[in-house]
Amino acid sequence: MNSPDDRRYTAEHEWVMVEDAASKTAVAGITDYAQDQLGDIVYFELPKVGDAVAHLGKMGEVESVKAVSDLFSPVDGEVTEINEKLLDHPELVNEDPFGEGWLIKVAIGDVTAVDSLMSAQDYDAYTAGL
Amino acid sequence: MTSDNPENALQRTALHDTHVSSGGRMVPFGGWDMPVQYPSGILAEVKAVRTATGVFDVSHMGRLYISGPKATEFLDWVLTGSASTLRVGRARYCLICNEQGGVFDDTIFYRLAEDRYLLIPNAGNRPTVVAWFERWIEDRFPLGCNMDDVTESTGLIAFQGPGTLAAIDELADKPLSKIRPFSWTEGAINGAPVFAGRTGYTGEDGFEFMVQGPDIVKVWTTLTDSGAVPCGLGARDVLRLEAGLPLHGHEIDENITPIEAGLDRFVRPDGEYVGSGILRGQRENGVTRKLIGFTLPGRSAPRAGYALLHQGETIGSVTSGSYSPTLDTSIGMGYVLERYAETGATLDLDIRGRTSQVTIAELPFYKRSRNS
């Protein structure tokens, strides 16, 4: 599987992309590998706008028909927006995990923190070994 | 299915390669490597079974022949349902209990002839059931009852959904749709001989086909080529839950009786058999906990082990739960203290620290229309 190389990844299968370096906002979601492993997603429990999230800290939950998994934030920051569409259409994440199925937007203090995460190439090598 | 695997290796059905090559995601279940879903996903598979036809490999379930002049007497002793009143050609669902009335397994058994039966235990319970039956045969029926485990030389396919009756008559050598529910007959599909039972575990009409060894690939392919959607264990679990059917290890186990599980109608009120005294006592005097079904709005699912509460006090726990695509709401089953098991009453469910109100519902959650 080729993950897009315009963003960074965590071992917990979240992605994050700096959306606007000037305003220090990033958008985050779960990877295609993650949605494929989960199967049909039916519910998201996401943080609220204004909540603080921490790198690899639990920020919510995702439920598929078969299982519940924790969601971990890829970065430190404050939630500025959540993807409201997912409340009624969680399947968007199955259909388009890197696009329409984004989860949250975050104001991040340090844009360079994102660069310390895995590259697409490293992430794909990592999932190939799972 | 051969024994050259290391001891802990998962067993494979004769359809294993077919599942893998069609994209089935394989998981361990009851000692077998089985597909939990295919690429179309659990929700699409459930929909296929509720609206058209779906096909499941259930070869992991056991197949035991019980035969001999004492076979009927033996089954009347180890089963909660009666073998002696079951007519040749018919099938019956019931429980296999221990002496305390706890459920070793649930099963469907078919009367093949006056002195011959086919009995289907669950995959993971087959060793327990075989050992239990061997013990009783030795103790009480040493002559005149024989058990033959053909699980590894045969396969089992479930063909389920409202479209199965019309579809099967196009595919089989004779009109299998003519047999009644909980009956069996023999026929052939694409030249492969099948034992066909009009039974299942989805809440839909349909069939289960027992096939000899490698013939199963031919039968499977004939059914999928006809448009039946291959379904995995994930869809099977959602379907059985919507239909209010118990799963061993969840709603029933060795420490739960069929009376507690609301399965009274599958338990003979009279006669002496294993567990009969305790079951009769519970039927007359009541039980302290009862199985309930409940619904909650939304899609966040109750999961096994979550606490059920009444005014802050834990009074039971969840045994199974899921988002129900057919009803578009979340559903669950669980045990609560008997005095709280009242249809229409509300309880609180602790979903990982969040509290949701649930409403106790009649089982089954889903009942198919019977106008065919």
Side-chain angles (χ1 to χ4, degrees):
Chain A
M1 225 177 276
N2 286 325
S3 301
D5 61 8
D6 57 359
R7 62 195 79 193
R8 295 282 173 157
Y9 299 86
T10 70
E12 300 289 352
H13 310 289
E14 278 86 20
W15 57 262
V16 59
M17 178 167 62
V18 175
E19 204 177 36
D20 180 356
S23 68
K24 295 187 177 178
T25 57
V27 55
I30 64 170
T31 65
D32 189 47
Y33 176 88
Q35 71 76 21
D36 185 59
Q37 289 293 311
L38 287 164
D40 292 322
I41 295 170
V42 295
Y43 182 78
F44 280 101
E45 178 84 7
L46 294 174
K48 291 178 184 62
V49 171
D51 281 358
V53 290
H55 173 60
L56 300 187
K58 182 177 166 178
M59 66 167 192
E61 292 173 349
V62 51
E63 289 193 36
S64 66
V65 179
K66 287 309 290 175
V68 187
S69 300
D70 286 336
L71 295 168
F72 299 95
S73 175
V75 286
D76 291 335
E78 184 184 312
V79 178
T80 57
E81 193 178 341
I82 66 163
N83 188 350
E84 303 272 357
K85 281 189 196 163
L86 301 184
L87 301 178
D88 288 328
H89 297 285
E91 70 277 7
L92 279 176
V93 178
N94 289 119
E95 292 159 8
D96 189 11
F98 293 122
E100 286 281 295
W102 61 274
L103 302 184
I104 58 167
K105 293 187 180 178
V106 188
I108 48 177
D110 178 9
V111 176
T112 60
V114 172
D115 298 332
S116 63
L117 303 176
M118 269 188 271
S119 68
Q121 199 180 3
D122 290 347
Y123 177 72
D124 290 343
Y126 165 69
T127 55
L130 291 179
Chain B
M1 299 219 293
T2 52
S3 53
D4 56 356
N5 290 329
E7 196 140 322
N8 294 329
L10 294 172
Q11 287 193 283
R12 294 176 166 192
T13 77
L15 283 165
H16 190 272
D17 291 351
T18 310
H19 299 318
V20 171
S21 66
S22 51
R25 179 167 297 155
M26 309 305 286
V27 298
F29 182 79
W32 294 74
D33 195 32
M34 299 300 292
V36 65
Q37 65 164 84
Y38 295 84
S40 61
I42 293 173
L43 299 179
E45 293 169 21
V46 168
K47 189 172 181 195
V49 174
R50 290 279 179 249
T51 60
T53 57
V55 61
F56 305 75
D57 178 12
V58 287
S59 303
H60 60 305
M61 300 184 76
R63 289 167 292 285
L64 309 175
Y65 284 119
I66 312 281
S67 59
K70 294 280 188 188
T72 303
E73 210 180 314
F74 163 72
L75 289 175
D76 274 345
W77 178 250
V78 293
L79 302 180
T80 63
S82 164
S84 50
T85 61
L86 184 68
R87 277 184 284 168
V88 173
R90 302 302 309 273
R92 178 164 281 164
Y93 172 85
C94 67
L95 295 311
I96 303 166
C97 286
N98 60 30
E99 283 127 320
Q100 289 71 47
V103 180
F104 267 140
D105 206 358
D106 59 347
T107 189
I108 289 178
F109 69 109
Y110 303 81
R111 193 165 194 171
L112 306 179
E114 204 54 41
D115 287 347
R116 188 169 165 80
Y117 298 84
L118 172 66
L119 185 140
I120 312 290
N122 278 301
N125 294 334
R126 179 166 58 107
T128 315
V129 169
V130 167
W132 181 248
F133 282 5
E134 275 170 353
R135 181 195 136 182
W136 285 114
I137 289 172
E138 206 167 292
D139 274 13
R140 289 177 66 106
F141 310 94
L143 300 170
C145 185
N146 183 58
M147 176 166 55
D148 187 12
D149 183 348
V150 297
T151 309
E152 300 195 359
S153 61
T154 60
L156 192 66
I157 288 175
F159 181 49
Q160 302 277 298
T164 51
L165 292 186
I168 201 60
D169 288 346
E170 299 286 315
L171 301 170
D173 65 333
K174 66 183 212 193
L176 297 182
S177 71
K178 292 290 182 281
I179 61 169
R180 293 160 60 196
F182 279 84
S183 298
W184 63 269
T185 188
E186 287 171 324
I189 295 173
N190 200 5
V194 298
F195 170 91
R198 193 159 162 195
T199 48
Y201 187 57
T202 60
E204 293 300 330
D205 208 340
F207 298 87
E208 291 175 296
F209 300 118
M210 186 171 81
V211 188
Q212 291 301 313
D215 273 354
I216 195 167
V217 177
K218 191 195 278 186
V219 174
W220 177 271
T221 309
T222 305
L223 295 172
T224 53
D225 285 353
S226 81
V229 172
C231 301
L233 295 175
R236 191 168 163 83
D237 191 46
V238 173
L239 290 159
R240 70 92 193 166
L241 181 60
E242 288 181 342
L245 300 169
L247 173 62
H248 196 270
H250 290 256
E251 286 71 38
I252 45 178
D253 68 30
E254 287 165 37
N255 299 308
I256 298 172
T257 72
I259 308 300
E260 293 171 315
L263 300 170
D264 311 45
R265 67 192 181 282
F266 305 110
V267 176
R268 270 175 287 161
D270 42 27
E272 292 301 315
Y273 53 92
V274 180
S276 60
I278 285 174
L279 297 177
R280 201 152 33 236
Q282 288 191 343
R283 206 197 278 271
E284 282 162 16
N285 306 320
V287 290
T288 53
R289 59 176 174 177
K290 263 313 232 191
L291 184 73
I292 56 162
F294 59 86
T295 63
L296 62 156
R299 293 175 148 220
S300 188
R303 311 268 168 182
Y306 291 1
L308 289 161
L309 302 99
H310 179 262
Q311 293 176 355
E313 191 189 347
T314 300
I315 51 120
S317 66
V318 176
T319 50
S320 295
S322 178
Y323 166 65
S324 160
T326 310
L327 306 170
D328 193 24
T329 190
S330 284
I331 58 175
M333 294 198 276
Y335 280 92
V336 296
L337 294 174
E338 194 273 339
R339 63 182 176 276
Y340 297 105
E342 194 184 320
T343 300
T346 58
L347 295 172
D348 288 328
L349 169 69
D350 180 355
I351 302 185
R352 303 180 297 283
R354 277 183 283 134
T355 300
S356 270
Q357 194 176 70
V358 305
T359 304
I360 299 178
E362 291 278 2
L363 290 173
F365 300 106
Y366 167 82
K367 208 165 184 181
R368 70 188 158 95
S369 53
R370 289 168 191 271
N371 44 17
S372 54

